[in-house]
Amino acid sequence: MGRLGATASRQALLLVIEDLHWADAATLDLLAYLGSKIHRMRILVLASFRPDALYAGHPAAAAIERVGRAAQAGRIDLSPLHGIELQAFINEALAGFSLGDEKRRAIALAGEGNPFFTEELLKNALQEAAEGDDGDGNGNGRVPQSLRTTLLERLRPLEADDRHIVTHAALIGRTFALDLLATVVGTEPERLVPTLRRARDFQLIDELGPNLFRFRHGLTRDAIYGNFLRTELRPLHRRIASALENAPSDARSTEALAYHWWAAGNGELCLRYNELAGDSARKVHAHEDAIAFYERALTPENIDPLARGSILEKIANLRLVLSMAEEGQAAYSAAADVFAAASAFEREAVCRVRAAMTAYTIQLSDTTAPLERMLARLDETEYLARGRLHVGIAWIAAALRCPSRAGAHLEQVDPRATSEATDVAVRYHNVAACVAAALGDADRFRREHAAWLDAARAHGAGAMAGVYYNGAKFFAAFGLHEEARENIDQALRVARETRNRHAEECAYATAALCYVLSGDLRSARQAIDKIPATTDNRVNIIFASGAGAALGAYLGDETLIEKWFDRFEASILSAPEIESGFGFSEVLVRRGRYKDAEELLHRVLPECELVRGEVPTLLAIGRYGAPDDRARAREYLVRAGNAENTIEGPALALFDAMCQSEGQPEQAKRLAREAADGFRRVRTPLLEAAAHEMAGDVGAALALYRRCGATYHVARLEGGASEGADSLDSGTHAEISVLSMREREIVVLAAGGQSNLEIALRLSISHKTVEKHLGAAYQKLGVSSRRALRSYVRR
């Protein structure tokens, strides 16, 4: 103690004691002694322990309690990790290793926010993945040996009879009733109470209510359960399931029966109860639980084909709700094959169409081929199945911007199909609305959209979200922004009520595009921030990355550009869609990558019948595209601009103004003024501002950019940059305007003598990001060193 006191007189000391619950008697005595002596010294003792490890009578419990009573002592209780904290912990623990979202979610649930449990489960999952293993097949997930030893250590203080009872409680499940446990171990309930009290004192279980108990940690139950031999398990589970069958109806749990008949190996009862349990979970939107029950239902052999196909279809539906498109598509295809073998053609058609539509969203090739092949082998009397297939092909044709082909397939749908099946009616009016929008017929679109919504209401709430968010994009393309916003709000309402994560993602992704087009950049930013960059739905990635890059370009926001351009650059540029064209080409051009922008715009321009609603990308082709692509883009504007009051009309005028700006400047200005008037009528202020700027009315353009919050263009037109740019003269402003807002920030700071690390710390960005932007600035400004950069800025 004297040595500690002498050292503390010269400098403050921090003594750390970890895992106090494992400390020996000497360490505990030392802690108690220090607690009474150091209150006047510059010494802080920090001791960590796990409260759930301190069962009654634990050697450390009394010492910790004694220290805690001291006036100078304090206690900090750390709650389990959850939400963003848990997600960040898992990301850091994986340290660059890949693990599927479903597996990550399962581990997050199993670990219950305990960092040690979670980390050990992650290590085990990575090892299993490397070995091609996926658990032990008993539905409980293999508990890593490092965890098993720790968890089973908690049974050591119990006597042999107590361990026998607790072990059989684990056989029932994490939650167990006293009466059922008594039946399993063959004794009277009251004789179990002392054992359960001791298990509670040792912090193994908690009492949830009269006669109802629960293992404190699910992993504790799993570790105990894992000690049984598989040979022992089936008869024990059969005994439990039989006891549950004989229980009063109010005490009978479908979920428990589903589990125990599955574990008992009774195929008929496993199928019956697991499907019932899955249906119950689905009704309360417990989607992951429902999938688990349905997958258990499929484990017995010799299941009736119609029952197997039906369960596979239910799994596929839930996979899509959870935004697991690839898994959903595979499940639909498997269900369709089962129905085909059973000659259940109408059920097969349902799954074939859903598989094809899902395949389109994840960009699989030849998505309508299975539908065409099925049509070829179906008799004309199968009008309902044929109607489904025609509508499915029409939907994909409309998505590929071939309204004539889509309309031709709609004409072949037997009216009996739409009157007898609400889902066929939903998709029929969906495609009809798409065709009307593609042809620029706003009145017909409104009628079909209303019919689409009525059909969705008749079909069920789950179909309504899609009507709303898909309709919003069409309304926005007509300049009907209030109706677009109302549809987005309704889509989000329905998605939240049904806990449909896929629909909510779709609504936000569509909303971001719609709000950018309407010039409401603030709402667009709020929508884009709601979309997870981890979604596996390709359509949502296209919409979100396209909107995010465009929004980042308008705002000069490098954070958005890094999230939605840099993160998706490789995947988008390898297989681009037209929704990505505008935002991505803007970012590429500002980084001096003109050839990349030209190539991107060449690839996003589809070979199709008609393009509507993609004016920003068509105008980007007019500005940055190759000559042949400009001609094709103009032709699409001509075709779509034939309808009245469409956005393509003024877009064609602005397109021609851009192409004539050098050879016929006055004609170009006249066309640009005409375009500005047209954009004002269809209420697209950002495009109107671009037209005003092309016409030479910088003041009008600046006012609109300010109103929309397009800070990049405001700074560009004002000749200003970002913080620190006031030191640059007007000549330099004009030349430096080729830089993005973030590049200008970095150039100013670098020219002022700050190092890359200092710039990164000041701007709260990574060192690598500073290097990337500084390199882009060197290329754009034609300099190759910091000395040349400083000279350039001084000039």
Side-chain angles (χ1 to χ4, degrees), residues 749 753-764 767 770:
L749 295 172
Q754 294 197 27
S755 67
N756 287 3
L757 181 58
E758 289 170 332
I759 296 170
L761 292 172
R762 175 166 179 174
L763 299 180
S764 299
H767 186 270
V770 174

Side-chain angles (χ1 to χ4, degrees), residues 285-618:
H285 311 300
H287 304 311
E288 290 94 341
D289 291 342
I291 290 173
F293 285 123
Y294 289 142
E295 288 179 338
R296 276 187 194 160
L298 294 175
T299 53
E301 297 180 357
N302 303 319
I303 298 175
D304 175 75
L306 293 180
R308 180 177 292 278
S310 177
I311 293 172
L312 283 168
E313 183 180 357
K314 290 177 180 180
I315 291 172
N317 291 337
L318 292 172
R319 295 289 190 196
L320 289 197
V321 169
L322 294 171
S323 287
M324 302 172 70
E326 290 187 19
E327 293 88 344
Q329 195 273 338
Y332 279 133
S333 295
D337 291 341
V338 172
F339 288 131
S343 297
F345 300 124
E346 202 274 324
R347 300 292 300 277
E348 179 193 355
V350 170
C351 294
R352 292 275 181 231
V353 169
R354 290 178 179 168
M357 293 171 63
T358 307
Y360 164 78
T361 67
I362 56 178
Q363 212 180 34
L364 297 183
S365 61
D366 203 16
T367 60
T368 61
L371 310 186
E372 301 279 7
R373 288 194 294 269
M374 186 176 177
L375 267 176
R377 61 181 166 82
L378 275 186
D379 188 87
E380 291 291 338
T381 58
E382 297 285 348
Y383 64 87
L384 184 52
R386 292 181 66 85
R388 291 187 184 282
L389 295 169
H390 280 302
V391 172
I393 295 170
W395 185 92
I396 294 172
L400 295 172
R401 296 179 172 85
C402 297
S404 296
R405 184 187 178 210
H409 276 279
L410 290 184
E411 291 175 359
Q412 298 183 65
V413 177
D414 191 310
R416 290 176 294 177
T418 55
S419 62
E420 293 177 13
T422 55
D423 62 313
V424 176
V426 170
R427 195 160 294 130
Y428 179 93
H429 291 293
N430 173 3
V431 177
C434 292
V435 171
L439 299 176
D441 190 337
D443 292 336
R444 181 183 167 195
F445 169 74
R446 276 200 174 97
R447 291 194 301 272
E448 290 294 349
H449 184 263
W452 183 12
L453 189 56
D454 287 342
R457 287 196 183 98
H459 185 62
M464 292 173 63
V467 182
Y468 285 126
Y469 62 70
N470 282 300
K473 191 168 186 285
F474 294 128
F475 278 118
F478 281 114
L480 303 172
H481 300 302
E482 289 80 6
E483 289 168 89
R485 185 178 290 273
E486 172 61 22
N487 274 264
I488 288 165
D489 291 343
Q490 292 293 341
L492 289 170
R493 176 186 61 79
V494 173
R496 290 163 183 160
E497 287 175 356
T498 57
R499 293 181 61 190
N500 189 327
R501 190 160 60 224
H502 168 72
E504 189 171 359
E505 278 184 16
C506 291
Y508 279 124
T510 305
L513 284 175
C514 292
Y515 295 152
V516 169
L517 189 62
S518 70
D520 186 354
L521 300 184
R522 181 173 179 273
S523 294
R525 178 62 189 265
Q526 292 173 344
I528 206 74
D529 285 343
K530 298 286 187 180
I531 306 168
T534 55
T535 178
D536 69 346
N537 185 287
R538 178 168 172 79
V539 173
N540 285 348
I541 289 174
I542 292 295
F543 283 18
S545 61
L551 185 60
Y554 277 123
L555 299 177
D557 188 326
E558 288 297 325
T559 301
L560 275 175
I561 291 173
E562 287 170 14
K563 178 177 180 180
W564 293 110
F565 176 88
D566 292 329
R567 182 178 297 188
F568 294 101
E569 178 183 357
S571 60
I572 296 297
L573 295 188
S574 66
E577 297 285 348
I578 195 167
E579 289 84 1
S580 304
F582 168 68
F584 272 64
S585 64
E586 284 294 319
V587 175
L588 288 168
V589 166
R590 292 183 196 178
R591 292 182 175 178
R593 296 168 59 185
Y594 303 104
K595 284 294 182 182
D596 288 342
E598 184 180 291
E599 173 62 19
L600 168 73
L601 293 171
H602 170 74
R603 299 184 68 195
V604 301
L605 193 58
E607 291 289 350
C608 64
E609 180 185 352
L610 197 64
V611 174
R612 279 213 68 247
E614 305 298 342
V615 160
T617 293
L618 295 176

